[in-house]
Amino acid sequence: MIVRIMGEGQVKLADSHFTELNRLDDELLEEMEGGDEEGFRRTLGALLDAVRRLGTPLPDDALEPSELILPAPDASLAEVREMLSDDGLIPG
């Protein structure tokens, strides 16, 4: 799956990593619903770090369609809330 982190670029990520990412996504959703700004910042950072660590960066000149778009590391709680589906940032 091709994942874009807004403002950073794209990474190719194996489907086998989505269990870990979904756990972080669920935690992020709970913190957002509870208005926990500190927890939101921590978990968003952990989610993006996991994508970077587990994924393989695509070259800057690659123009692959992104199947998943994640917010920039400095995105506000309100901005991320607008990106959410019922499942969070990561479907499934």
Side-chain angles (χ1 to χ4, degrees), residues 22-74:
N22 275 320
R23 182 185 55 76
L24 289 167
D25 188 43
D26 290 345
E27 189 176 324
L28 185 69
L29 187 58
E30 285 179 29
E31 291 161 349
M32 290 181 65
E33 288 173 350
D36 180 357
E37 181 80 30
E38 184 178 322
F40 162 77
R41 285 271 146 236
R42 180 186 61 247
T43 305
L44 177 60
L47 176 64
L48 297 177
D49 286 345
V51 169
R52 293 181 197 110
R53 176 175 45 84
L54 298 170
T56 303
L58 295 180
D60 289 338
D61 60 350
L63 295 174
E64 300 289 328
S66 299
E67 297 166 88
L68 179 62
I69 299 174
L70 296 176
D74 61 350

